[in-house]
Amino acid sequence: MKLKSIIVEDEETSRKILRNYLNKYCPNVEVLGEAANVEEALVLIRNTELDLVFLDVEMPYGNAFDLLDKVGDVNFETVFVTAYNHYAIDALNAHASYYLMKPISIDELIKAVDYVTEIRTKEDALQDQVLVPKMNTVNGKITIPQQDGFEVLQTADIMYCKADDNYTEIYLNNNKKKLVSKTLKYFEDALTESGFARVHKSYLVNVNEVTKYIKGKGGSVVLSNGKEIMVSASKKSDLLSYFK
């Protein structure tokens, strides 16, 4: 996996050495920017989606721990890079992933990157597992993927789902709509056992929200919000089986 990273180091020579080492020995690390002090680093962190920050401890106008305090909710891994070993305990308390001493050992740098890669890979695998159909419904909830993670919805709050090419529009009972980059088949697999019926190639409805069925070759259903949805003839018997 690619690790999006930045280098925070006040010495230009040290930044150059680390950047060159990463380019040569750690090809899965993508350096997106560099900062020479706390304020520059803060701007980069707040405006960049990051996996990893290489962080020098001592800098002008503040140190690494001042920076982490200002960041607050840290959602990236941190590798401390310093010439001073007496910061090790502070780094541990700051949940550092690794502690590199200057001058940087190439072997230790590779170990640090491998360790962070393993951490992020496990996190991604766990998230992917959560988002697999039939594994993403727990106690009346469903997860829907988002760019920065996932959102949890109550299945009872979903009125119906509508296909939109490779996307799905999820209509909630509070008149809100969610657009999700998953097919309707994905949600059919995930929600069928939670009282949802595929009534049409483009619609999946919450059977508990059906207030009326209108007869016809396929007919149609009316939901509690007044929305009428056509029922395909091939899906009619499946729908009506919920009401036997």
Side-chain angles (χ1 to χ4, degrees), residues 112-236:
V113 170
D114 286 347
Y115 183 67
V116 171
T117 301
E118 183 180 356
I119 291 173
R120 301 303 274 194
T121 299
K122 287 180 178 178
E123 289 176 351
D124 286 353
L126 178 60
Q127 179 172 304
D128 289 344
Q129 186 180 28
V130 170
L131 294 172
V132 171
K134 293 191 179 296
M135 295 182 65
N136 67 353
T137 51
V138 180
N139 296 326
K141 299 181 177 66
I142 184 171
T143 58
I144 59 173
Q146 295 184 327
Q147 188 173 3
D148 58 351
F150 60 85
E151 182 179 359
V152 180
L153 296 179
Q154 297 283 342
T155 55
D157 292 340
I158 301 173
M159 299 286 291
Y160 65 96
C161 303
K162 180 183 177 183
D164 183 6
D165 292 327
N166 290 324
Y167 289 80
T168 297
E169 297 174 355
I170 299 178
Y171 290 82
L172 305 175
N173 57 18
N174 59 4
N175 294 321
K176 290 185 178 180
K177 180 178 75 172
K178 306 282 185 180
L179 182 64
V180 186
S181 58
K182 294 289 183 182
T183 64
L184 189 62
K185 181 64 167 61
Y186 173 94
F187 288 101
E188 181 182 10
D189 290 341
L191 291 170
T192 295
E193 294 178 5
S194 298
F196 283 74
R198 185 78 173 260
V199 298
H200 187 277
K201 67 177 182 179
S202 298
Y203 287 95
L204 179 73
V205 303
N206 184 344
V207 175
N208 292 315
E209 297 294 339
V210 174
T211 61
K212 185 177 182 180
Y213 172 74
I214 301 172
K215 292 193 298 183
K217 184 175 182 181
S220 62
V221 290
V222 178
L223 304 183
S224 60
N225 65 351
K227 171 72 175 178
E228 184 176 351
I229 295 174
M230 297 298 296
V231 178
S232 298
S234 60
K235 302 291 185 182
K236 180 178 178 178

Side-chain angles (χ1 to χ4, degrees), residues 51-78:
D51 298 301
L52 172 61
V53 173
F54 293 95
L55 185 56
D56 185 19
V57 176
E58 293 193 346
M59 293 176 285
Y61 315 113
N63 61 29
F65 307 106
D66 297 325
L67 172 60
L68 293 176
D69 284 342
K70 290 183 178 182
V71 170
D73 186 14
V74 174
N75 56 7
F76 50 81
E77 305 302 319
T78 307

